[in-house]
Amino acid sequence: MKNKEFKSGFVSIVGRPNVGKSTLLNRILGEKIVAVSDKPQTTRTVIRGIVSDEASQIVFVDTPGIHAARSRMNRAMVDAAYGAISGVDLLLLVVDATAQRDDVFVREVATKAGAPIFLILNKVDLVEPKERLLALIASVSRLHPFAEVVPISAQTGGNVERLVELIRERLPEGPAYFPDDILTDQPEKVICAELVREKIFRLTGEEVPYSTAVIVDSFQERENGVIAISATILVEREGQKGILIGKKGAMLKKIGQAARGDIERLLGTRVFLELFVKVQERWTERTAVLRELGYE
Ligand SMILES: Nc1nc2c(ncn2[C@@H]2O[C@H](COP(=O)(O)OP(=O)(O)OP(=O)(O)O)[C@@H](O)[C@H]2O)c(=O)[nH]1
Ligand SMILES: [Mg+2]
């Protein structure tokens, strides 16, 4: 039977914050389902992205960046990332080719991993001159017997197809874990909240994104095919609420428009998006809220 040769596996994408893990997942899927921003700690939870074809299914696991966490929420984020290091078939350990390399960290993850590791050198579009890349590959290869060292640009897509081929070659035989027509294990509501959160990360400054969470309260398809979404943005202080709403509501409008564009592209239908801002003091330290958000 053809079924016998079907290959499948779980592949975690791990690394320090801001190295491009979520950009890579979106690039591989060809759709934006996870938030990407130039601020560290954009990703808060583990989100799976699924790539299926006739002969295989790869379940990619995007994870929060591993960092020295202080708040309760951040500790939960890092725990989630460490949790995704084991129990998978392959690990993509992503490093930023343009940043100072953290060898201690790379070795630590390599020691904890129970699966083969591909060391992914990302952002190579920024590496000049190109000869530098060879030196980088050589030096990173000395840190651990990686199954592969793969230079890519998640942003431009450079070498990403090759990476997916290399992953497929490594997959064990196994069943399809998910239906072949779904992109992620997360409900649409969660992805919509993620896309709104991304806009907050991109459009507001320093502290605001880190005090913000988004909950989709309702998601309804109307008779005319329009999907009506209503979401609450949580912040920790009145001042942050003011910043998010902006002068005469300008900032909230900007966030809503940008998020609606992404959500419409993803769902392939017109969307009506309504946003509300609510202050909930110190929610990043409160178990009940963290649970409701799926962060703990
Ligand atoms: N030039 C360039 N920039 C990239 C590349 N990949 C990602 N970036 C940028 O790097 C920043 C961080 O990207 P993310 O995908 O959010 O990084 P992450 O590793 O998921 O970050 P956390 O979720 O915070 O752990 C964003 O500004 C991306 O646009 C790349 O290949 N080249
Ligand atoms: Mg991320």
Side-chain angles (χ1 to χ4, degrees), residues 237-255:
R237 288 190 294 279
E238 282 297 332
Q240 295 165 341
K241 179 173 174 177
I243 295 170
L244 265 183
I245 292 173
K247 271 202 188 111
K248 293 187 182 154
M251 177 57 90
L252 198 61
K253 193 170 167 196
K254 216 165 145 186
I255 291 166

Side-chain angles (χ1 to χ4, degrees), residues 105-177:
F105 172 72
V106 169
R107 288 207 184 88
E108 186 209 321
V109 172
T111 325
K112 286 201 161 90
I117 304 172
F118 285 7
L119 191 286
I120 310 298
L121 269 175
N122 189 32
K123 308 195 187 183
V124 300
D125 54 294
L126 298 175
V127 176
E128 292 290 351
K130 291 298 163 202
E131 294 77 53
R132 236 177 74 74
L133 194 54
L134 296 176
L136 270 171
I137 294 172
S139 71
V140 86
S141 301
R142 283 194 286 273
L143 293 177
H144 178 84
F146 297 112
E148 300 279 352
V149 174
V150 191
I152 63 161
S153 170
Q155 182 139 298
T156 68
N159 216 28
V160 171
E161 274 182 36
R162 175 75 189 130
L163 168 63
V164 175
E165 265 176 44
L166 289 168
I167 293 168
R168 274 207 190 93
E169 286 169 14
R170 291 256 163 193
L171 292 179
E173 269 183 31
Y177 296 102

Side-chain angles (χ1 to χ4, degrees), residues 2-13:
K2 193 169 167 249
N3 229 0
K4 270 204 169 159
E5 300 140 34
F6 195 87
K7 291 173 137 196
S8 63
F10 285 79
V11 179
S12 281
I13 308 173

Side-chain angles (χ1 to χ4, degrees), residues 44-46 288-296:
R44 291 197 183 144
T45 54
V46 163
V289 187
L290 294 175
R291 292 233 168 101
E292 187 185 349
L293 291 163
Y295 296 166
E296 256 193 3

Side-chain angles (χ1 to χ4, degrees), residues 21-22 35 42-43 62-63:
K21 300 178 296 296
S22 301
T42 301
T43 301
D62 185 26
T63 67

